[in-house]
Amino acid sequence: MDRFDRQPALESRFDDRALYLWSHQQRAHHVALLLCRIQQRLESRMLVNTGIPVLTDLAASGSGNSVRAAQIAAWQTVDGSPEFAVAREAEVLAVTEELKHLDAIPDVTATSLAGVVAKLEIIVGADREIDDPSDFPWPHIASVLRDMKAIVGDIGMDRPERATVRADIARHWEAAAKLVAALKEEDALERCGQTG
């Protein structure tokens, strides 16, 4: 059994493993977007207020590359804490989880037309992330999805429960915090010459 096999509590709602996969991919995408927004807010706050008066003044005046280069060095912390680094890593972890769902599509067999629509929804959703979604085969796949939805109907997505989303964010945040702490410790050991 793989990680997308039905769970008893979900069996009544997801008679098709492809629908179950789609539901989890949609939730993972939602969490990744929320973590991206958190990371962007922290980045914006950091760009405007670096804590270094000269850089803060330059950032406020819109001065370009010199401010950006100096701020890159400060990105490991926001107000003396590793909050930005953790937010950045949490977003990466969430996006990675979302991509695992995309990678699982070939291993999940749809057992209904709604399941086929779900798989196509995931695929067409991923095309928004590529440089040119107007190239073959993306418009063609989107056309098939529209045709399938006209026959089956829209499978619709309930917004994930707030508690579930918060739990997912907390899980990614905790893993990211551990990763950032481990990297910081490794870097400190390297600077002291204690690693091999």
Side-chain angles (χ1 to χ4, degrees), residues 101-175:
H101 296 302
L102 183 64
D103 291 344
I105 291 173
D107 299 327
V108 173
T109 302
T111 57
S112 67
L113 287 178
V116 173
V117 169
K119 289 173 79 171
L120 286 170
E121 283 279 5
I122 295 171
I123 294 166
V124 170
D127 85 341
R128 293 180 194 104
E129 305 300 321
I130 59 175
D131 289 335
D132 190 0
S134 64
D135 284 343
F136 177 82
W138 299 113
H140 306 78
I141 293 172
S143 169
V144 171
L145 177 59
R146 283 191 305 275
D147 296 345
M148 293 291 293
K149 283 178 154 181
I151 296 167
V152 175
D154 192 356
I155 56 177
M157 174 64 183
D158 295 334
R159 187 173 196 127
E161 292 183 21
R162 186 172 287 205
T164 303
V165 170
R166 285 183 177 161
D168 287 347
I169 288 173
R171 179 173 46 89
H172 291 306
W173 198 270
E174 182 180 339

Side-chain angles (χ1 to χ4, degrees), residues 51-119:
I52 304 168
V54 171
L55 294 180
T56 301
D57 293 343
L58 288 172
S61 70
S63 187
N65 293 334
S66 62
V67 173
R68 181 83 170 146
Q71 288 169 337
I72 287 172
W75 277 14
Q76 292 302 313
T77 63
V78 174
D79 301 328
S81 71
E83 191 176 24
F84 178 78
V86 171
R88 186 180 58 210
E89 293 305 321
E91 178 189 2
V92 168
L93 292 170
V95 169
T96 300
E97 183 173 307
E98 182 183 0
L99 292 173
K100 286 180 183 178
H101 296 302
L102 183 64
D103 291 344
I105 291 173
D107 299 327
V108 173
T109 302
T111 57
S112 67
L113 287 178
V116 173
V117 169
K119 289 173 79 171

